[in-house]
Amino acid sequence: IASSAIYRVRLIEINKRALVTDALTGIYNRRFFDEMLGKQIALAKRDKEPLSLLIADLDHFKKVNDTYGHIAGDTILQKIAETLRTDIRSSDILARYGGEEFVIIMPSTGLTGALEKADGIRRHIELLDFNNNVAAGQSLKMTLSIGVASLPEHGIEPVTVLLSAADSALYKAKRGGRNRVESP
């Protein structure tokens, strides 16, 4: 009976984790991000603390999938997620936002600090070499475009205001030539 109960508890824990994590990358998923952003904004407002949001998009990722296949693309996404996880603080919240988009909620971080962190992340990804993971014998590099928005500078209510500001900054980075960090 005890063995069966332990097994059920483990299954419940596995199911809970599956509800909030992305199956491919192991980081938080969009659903969890959406919940946490609202909560983190509320905490920041209550404590009168800054909060920043980064939206990062892999540049020309479709070309990688078209050239090397989706398994190679998945490998790259896993490596990028792993790198992002090691580049942020334990208090930051990293999630997969969409296909090749990632978001990072940075509590207690103002715009200047977030821009510096984002540029460090961008440079780290730019230096990664995916030759052994994806294309043996070929040089394969990836770059990121990152949009950064912070509160209170770019809006507080509703949650979508901060998200829209970060998204617009991301598109500004894309229009500006990619492999760059921008704010609204």
Side-chain angles (χ1 to χ4, degrees):
I1 293 174
S3 175
S4 178
I6 291 170
Y7 179 72
R8 281 193 302 267
V9 168
R10 285 186 184 150
L11 280 179
I12 290 169
E13 289 303 313
I14 289 168
N15 283 335
K16 282 182 186 177
R17 179 136 176 86
L19 286 174
V20 298
T21 57
D22 176 63
L24 177 66
T25 61
I27 61 176
Y28 291 119
N29 62 21
R30 171 82 181 260
R31 175 188 304 174
F32 184 81
F33 164 77
D34 288 340
E35 281 184 35
M36 288 308 295
L37 183 60
K39 289 177 182 177
Q40 290 297 316
I41 288 175
L43 286 171
K45 282 175 40 182
R46 182 192 74 193
D47 297 339
K48 295 179 176 52
E49 289 279 332
L51 177 134
S52 291
L53 176 64
L54 280 62
I55 300 181
D57 184 71
L58 284 168
D59 297 325
H60 305 294
F61 187 71
K62 182 181 180 328
K63 183 178 176 184
V64 171
N65 274 337
D66 292 347
T67 304
Y68 301 104
H70 290 280
I71 292 172
D74 288 352
T75 301
I76 288 172
L77 289 172
Q78 290 166 335
K79 180 73 173 166
I80 297 289
E82 178 186 318
T83 302
L84 292 172
R85 189 178 312 141
T86 62
D87 280 357
I88 62 173
R89 305 169 302 182
S90 61
S91 59
D92 295 337
I93 299 164
L94 169 65
R96 186 168 176 204
Y97 191 61
E100 68 271 8
E101 283 187 320
F102 298 89
V103 288
I104 303 169
I105 302 170
M106 301 179 75
S108 302
T109 305
L111 183 59
T112 302
L115 287 167
E116 289 171 6
K117 176 53 93 174
D119 197 53
I121 289 169
R122 182 198 61 77
R123 284 184 277 121
H124 189 179
I125 297 298
E126 184 179 37
L127 294 174
L128 291 177
D129 188 347
F130 294 96
N131 299 357
N132 295 331
N133 301 84
V134 176
Q138 297 180 28
S139 178
L140 180 58
K141 300 279 190 174
M142 295 300 302
T143 59
L144 276 179
S145 295
I146 305 175
V148 179
S150 297
L151 63 87
E153 295 95 323
H154 302 116
I156 295 175
E157 293 287 339
V159 170
T160 54
V161 171
L162 188 64
L163 195 53
S164 292
D167 200 41
S168 110
L170 171 62
Y171 283 100
K172 183 178 173 185
K174 293 281 189 183
R175 284 189 309 271
R178 301 179 193 270
N179 192 26
R180 52 190 299 133
V181 175
E182 293 286 351
S183 64

